[in-house]
Amino acid sequence: GFLEDGILVQDVSRTRRHYLSSWTFPWDVMAVLPTELLCLLPGVPRVPGVPAARANRCLRVPRLFEAFDRCEMRTGRPNVFRVAKLMLYLLLGIHWHGCLYFALSARLGLGIDPWVCPSFTRPLRRYLHSFYFSTLVLATVGDTPAPRREEEFLFLTAGFLLAVLGFATITGSISTVIANLSAADAAFYPDAGPVQRYLRARGAGGRLVGRVARWHRHLRVQRKLPAEREVLGQLPRGLQAEVAAGHGLLRQLVLRLRPQVFGPGEFVCRRGDVGREMYFIREGRLAVVAEDGVTQLAVLGEGLYFGEISLINIKGNAAGNRRTANILSIGYSDLFCLGKEDLAEVLAEFPRARAAMEAKGRELLLHMGQLDTGAEAAEMAAEAEAERQLQGLEVALEGLQTRAARLLAQLEAGALRMALRVQHLE
């Protein structure tokens, strides 16, 4: 297929027309022509002429580079692919240099001096010797026989100059790969250095420094990304939601979630604290503990959420906007945090989800004895009274609007009669 306005077209007839009209078609035709058949003509050398006759295959090099670029875009490890591609170029360069060395040796005469390729009977030994010689030259190792002729001096000098240029290119490419790896780590994972320097400057204990170091190590080992929002920030909001979620409420929530990681023995929230966020458990386990901080009352696992009771206004909630339980991270826990304002904004668009969340919160409050049924009934009665009064105000407002419309009509009619009288008097 091919891309047309960013859309992949896979229709065979359209693909054929697009390919035949592109500039790559004539180049591909010239690249696959069987030019090696020219060696069958009389007077053309057989074996030495074949490589030169197949030089048109090099016209496929742009297609090879295109394939490399597409593979690098699709692979999940682009830096590994770049290193492998660099090694391929290195081996190919040594191979071509070895072929030139053997061609020069064949022209000067195999085995006529120690510098040229010996006259081995087996072609494999000739190739291995040429490849080894080129490796010594291009790696600037030296330890090669001293040249005797002008052609040998020129070839060896050109090889050393090429090796210097090649090594500079290789070093720069490897440095780029390392820099890309460091930049990728900095984009995904927080830098532990500033935090550790701050702790040392404040004279923090070794235990706290160890906890911070283990937290950073856990992020890298488990490949957790606390900076997902910054990484996906370049995408449009709709595509961000498609990347992270599937449908409905989740699609709206995921744009507002902030990832947080809690270490072993760390409290996510304490009873009595003012609730400003709710949490979704992505990975890990958390315990609902008693006031002593040890006794586990319940264990929360992946896929659950908590902390919503202090964010939504449940009638009869004795705790108000305060936390109703102590939540402790058993191991390393990967959570998503959602703020109170974001939750209210989303639930306003999804009344069913709000009703289900309120019903679950009411059930939990009733189980914990934090639900004042009398206050709930009073709030419901007050709400009903307010609704009744609001309806009365709406009826009164409609009556006032009707009377105002009548008065306006009477005023317009009186003005019209007055205008007619004035006209009659004039």
Side-chain angles (χ1 to χ4, degrees):
F2 65 97
L3 292 177
E4 186 178 55
D5 297 330
I7 301 175
L8 180 62
V9 178
Q10 293 182 315
D11 182 71
V12 177
S13 59
R14 294 182 60 188
T15 304
R16 182 188 303 113
R17 290 195 301 269
H18 178 269
Y19 175 63
L20 293 178
S21 61
S22 64
W23 64 270
T24 57
F25 174 69
W27 286 84
D28 291 342
V29 171
M30 289 187 290
V32 298
L33 291 177
T35 52
E36 60 268 19
L37 296 180
L38 296 175
C39 298
L40 300 179
L41 297 176
V44 178
R46 296 293 182 265
V47 176
V50 170
R54 292 172 56 87
N56 62 321
R57 302 294 188 269
C58 294
L59 296 176
R60 299 284 291 179
V61 169
R63 307 284 281 184
L64 178 65
F65 290 158
E66 181 183 359
F68 281 165
D69 292 339
R70 295 193 179 188
C71 289
E72 185 174 335
M73 292 174 59
R74 291 177 177 268
T75 181
R77 299 180 178 274
N79 292 313
V80 176
F81 182 80
R82 293 190 190 104
V83 173
K85 184 173 63 175
L86 186 62
M87 295 302 298
L88 175 64
Y89 291 159
L90 183 61
L91 294 176
L92 188 61
I94 295 175
H95 164 76
W96 282 349
H97 190 269
C99 293
L100 293 176
Y101 166 73
F102 180 77
L104 179 61
S105 299
R107 180 178 178 277
L108 296 178
L110 298 177
I112 61 172
D113 60 40
W115 189 87
V116 299
C117 180
S119 57
F120 296 116
T121 56
R122 296 177 57 191
L124 179 61
R125 291 293 301 275
R126 296 180 179 181
Y127 176 76
L128 291 178
H129 178 84
S130 302
F131 193 89
Y132 173 73
F133 183 89
S134 297
T135 303
L136 294 179
V137 173
L138 296 181
T140 63
V141 175
D143 198 21
T144 58
R148 304 289 181 85
R149 306 186 181 189
E150 295 179 354
E151 295 88 346
E152 298 174 357
F153 276 106
L154 292 176
F155 183 83
L156 200 59
T157 302
F160 280 131
L161 294 177
L162 183 64
V164 172
L165 178 61
F167 265 97
T169 304
I170 293 172
T171 304
S173 300
I174 294 178
S175 301
T176 302
V177 171
I178 295 175
N180 290 338
L181 288 173
S182 302
D185 286 344
F188 285 106
Y189 304 106
D191 187 10
V195 180
Q196 293 179 352
R197 289 193 294 270
Y198 171 78
L199 293 176
R200 286 196 298 267
R202 296 295 299 269
R207 183 178 179 182
L208 181 58
V209 174
R211 287 181 59 189
V212 172
R214 286 193 297 270
W215 183 80
H216 284 92
R217 191 184 312 118
H218 171 76
L219 292 181
R220 293 178 178 272
V221 171
Q222 300 297 326
R223 303 186 66 82
K224 295 180 178 179
L225 311 178
E228 289 186 39
R229 177 175 294 184
E230 289 77 6
V231 173
L232 300 178
Q234 298 179 357
L235 299 177
R237 290 182 63 84
L239 192 54
Q240 291 181 34
E242 292 290 342
V243 169
H247 56 80
L249 178 64
L250 288 179
R251 184 173 297 179
Q252 297 296 326
L253 287 177
V254 75
L255 297 176
R256 298 168 171 85
L257 295 178
R258 301 188 305 274
Q260 291 186 359
V261 178
F262 292 88
E266 187 175 354
F267 278 93
V268 180
C269 60
R270 294 179 181 270
R271 184 174 182 177
D273 293 344
V274 177
R276 296 183 177 88
E277 305 95 4
M278 68 172 296
Y279 298 92
F280 297 85
I281 304 177
R282 183 180 183 182
E283 291 182 3
R285 292 188 307 152
L286 297 100
V288 182
V289 297
E291 294 298 330
D292 56 5
V294 178
T295 306
Q296 295 186 3
L297 305 178
V299 176
L300 306 178
E302 299 177 5
L304 300 179
Y305 62 89
F306 61 93
E308 77 283 1
I309 297 179
S310 58
L311 301 186
I312 56 180
N313 296 322
I314 300 178
K315 301 178 184 64
N317 184 5
N321 62 344
R322 301 281 178 174
R323 299 293 189 187
T324 59
N326 300 313
I327 307 297
L328 179 71
S329 178
I330 298 176
Y332 280 99
S333 301
D334 191 3
L335 309 179
F336 280 127
C337 173
L338 181 66
K340 184 175 182 178
E341 294 79 9
D342 295 330
L343 178 64
E345 182 180 349
V346 173
L347 291 182
E349 302 175 5
F350 296 89
R352 287 187 178 182
R354 182 183 187 87
M357 193 173 290
E358 288 181 353
K360 180 184 176 183
R362 185 179 183 280
E363 183 180 350
L364 290 175
L365 289 174
L366 187 61
H367 178 72
M368 293 184 297
Q370 295 287 333
L371 185 65
D372 189 350
T373 55
E376 182 184 14
E379 287 187 24
M380 294 182 65
E383 216 175 86
E385 179 64 22
E387 183 68 22
R388 187 184 63 80
Q389 293 180 1
L390 181 61
Q391 291 179 357
L393 289 176
E394 289 178 352
V395 173
L397 181 61
E398 289 179 359
L400 290 175
Q401 289 177 345
T402 304
R403 292 181 61 184
R406 289 176 181 175
L407 290 175
L408 183 61
Q410 293 175 2
L411 179 62
E412 290 178 353
L416 180 59
R417 287 195 300 269
M418 182 64 67
L420 291 175
R421 291 181 64 184
V422 170
Q423 185 178 3
H424 178 70
L425 291 174
E426 289 177 350

